[in-house]
Amino acid sequence: MTATESFTGDANPYGGGDPYADYRTADFPFTRYADLAGRQLGAGVVAANDEFFAQRENLLVPGPAVFDPEHFGHKGKVMDGWESRRRRGAGADHPWPTAEDHDWALVRLGAPGVIRGIVVDTAHFRGNYPQAVSVEGASVPGSPSPEELLGDHVKWTTLVPRTPVGGHAANGFSVSVEQRFTHVRVNQHPDGGIARLRVHGEVVPDPEWLTVLGTFDVVALENGGRAEDASDLFYSPASNTIQPGRSRKMDDGWETRRRRDRGNDWIRYRLAAQARIRALEIDTAYLKGNSAGWASVSVKDGESGEWTEILPRTRLQPDTNHRFVLPAPAVGTHARVDIYPDGGISRLRLFGSLTEAGTAALTARHQELGG
């Protein structure tokens, strides 16, 4: 629960040119996990105690924060983030905020899960960022209101203790709490602005919900699937292929660099649990001159299992959703898509249902993590 890379203090005032030229960041290993607070998964900032200068919803906007030095509104400089007003003390004899004063925002995760790391990004907040931040997590079933989340009965667990942060920087924190969370509360001490919040972790679905669904996408991120590895991440992350919904633009899928050898590219996935797969889809939406030429799909059962091809190498069309019904159900815990020779796909869907063993394993993990 400590900062992976420590940035403290003000950044230099903006002096013109590329505003990201002096931006401070680091390679945080936990960012290989999905962003549980991604808007595409359905996350939202449900409440904040103060958003005088910039609205709370900006925290979860996809992509980096933007900066327009000439953009001012009737309340002051317009910032792409969440920014509260300056806190003051109780009176003229003590005009400074107390050590306990802070602002907060409540975030509903798009998919409940185990949090592996958090990035509190203060991009473009150079002299108006918080002195320190802290983050807490809670697990609350259903769809609680902000008032319910702030009730005395809700247990909040510290994920990031109060820690100094820097301005115009990606402040990263690894988290080692083995618990399933549905909400986080980010606190800034005593006030200031945060551009973006990213909550990286592993989705832990509700096994009862999946059982009721019967047949569902067993590799989907929102159902607990995960892209474990890929041959090439040059243009986009492999996890894009298991995001909810159809791709809406080219970079919303997975695209590899151009190969100049005789090999091929691939992604390996972990399924929600052991499942029986009956049908699959490979979508190349918005990939037109750069879609994969051919693809095959294989599954294996267990870490030491053998790969079995369930879809032989098949010709793909650009900007097209391809559907395949398997001649017999395939049982596995992992899947792999190979594309030939390079290019990209936007989505992979594997439709099936959990086996008895898969349901038992998922239920046990859900209970162990406090679900």
Side-chain angles (χ1 to χ4, degrees):
M1 297 189 296
T2 58
T4 303
E5 180 80 15
S6 180
F7 301 114
T8 56
D10 292 351
N12 292 325
Y14 175 64
D18 178 8
Y20 274 104
D22 60 341
Y23 175 69
R24 294 176 286 178
T25 188
D27 183 15
F28 304 120
F30 54 75
T31 57
R32 73 180 187 273
Y33 295 101
D35 181 10
L36 304 182
R39 283 292 296 164
Q40 197 168 0
L41 277 176
V45 187
V46 298
N49 72 307
D50 187 295
E51 46 187 328
F52 185 85
F53 284 115
Q55 61 190 21
R56 64 182 192 264
E57 287 85 358
N58 288 336
L59 282 172
L60 306 187
V61 170
V66 298
F67 180 72
D68 181 352
E70 304 299 327
H71 193 189
F72 286 83
H74 62 277
K75 291 183 178 180
K77 181 73 185 71
V78 175
M79 297 294 291
D80 184 11
W82 166 52
E83 185 181 6
S84 62
R85 73 193 77 197
R86 300 188 187 211
R87 281 184 171 270
R88 301 303 188 207
D93 57 336
H94 198 287
W96 310 280
T98 69
E100 292 74 31
D101 284 342
H102 67 279
D103 293 318
W104 53 263
L106 294 176
V107 177
R108 179 192 67 246
L109 298 180
V114 178
I115 297 169
R116 299 302 183 193
I118 295 172
V119 177
V120 178
D121 191 344
T122 58
H124 314 303
F125 289 93
R126 295 170 175 270
N128 52 348
Y129 60 94
Q131 182 182 34
V133 300
S134 61
V135 185
E136 302 159 279
S139 183
V140 184
S143 304
S145 67
E147 293 74 20
E148 290 169 328
L149 289 170
L150 295 171
D152 293 337
H153 65 286
V154 175
K155 177 187 176 183
W156 289 93
T157 300
T158 298
L159 304 178
V160 178
R162 182 169 175 168
T163 307
V165 294
H168 196 43
N171 300 277
F173 306 89
S174 60
V175 177
S176 58
V177 180
E178 287 296 318
Q179 187 176 333
R180 179 181 185 265
F181 294 103
T182 61
H183 295 76
V184 297
R185 178 166 60 189
V186 58
N187 306 299
Q188 49 179 347
H189 308 268
D191 54 36
I194 298 171
R196 297 288 188 267
L197 178 72
R198 306 300 187 219
V199 182
H200 296 278
E202 301 175 60
V203 176
V204 180
D206 182 351
E208 182 178 356
W209 173 253
L210 296 183
T211 299
V212 170
L213 290 180
T215 296
F216 60 94
D217 182 1
V218 299
V219 76
L221 183 61
E222 61 189 322
N223 294 330
R226 179 154 57 98
E228 288 191 319
D229 199 6
S231 61
D232 187 292
L233 301 173
F234 189 83
Y235 285 115
S236 46
S239 59
N240 279 356
T241 61
I242 53 176
Q243 288 279 2
R246 294 201 71 196
S247 177
R248 292 168 292 179
K249 53 182 180 172
M250 190 177 73
D251 66 351
D252 192 21
W254 173 60
E255 181 190 359
T256 70
R257 75 191 83 193
R258 299 190 187 207
R259 276 191 172 267
R260 303 307 187 195
D261 58 21
R262 309 294 287 183
N264 75 283
D265 290 315
W266 52 267
I267 305 174
R268 188 181 73 242
Y269 305 89
R270 178 184 292 274
L271 308 184
Q274 187 189 62
R276 188 171 287 106
I277 302 166
R278 300 182 181 87
L280 61 92
E281 290 183 358
I282 300 176
D283 196 352
T284 58
Y286 293 98
L287 295 163
K288 299 180 179 181
N290 51 354
S291 65
W294 293 262
S296 65
V297 179
S298 303
V299 300
K300 72 172 182 177
D301 192 20
E303 294 288 349
S304 59
E306 297 290 331
W307 288 104
T308 301
E309 193 173 69
I310 62 173
L311 179 73
R313 193 179 304 187
T314 301
R315 178 69 172 154
L316 300 182
Q317 299 299 322
D319 195 30
T320 300
N321 191 25
H322 309 76
R323 291 179 171 175
F324 307 94
V325 176
L326 302 184
V331 175
T333 57
H334 296 71
R336 172 175 166 138
V337 59
D338 285 84
I339 62 171
Y340 302 88
D342 56 20
I345 62 173
S346 61
R347 296 290 187 270
L348 174 72
R349 305 297 188 206
L350 302 178
F351 296 105
S353 55
L354 299 183
T355 63
E356 289 186 9
T359 300
L362 194 60
T363 301
R365 183 165 188 250
H366 187 261
Q367 293 173 345
E368 289 170 3
L369 295 172

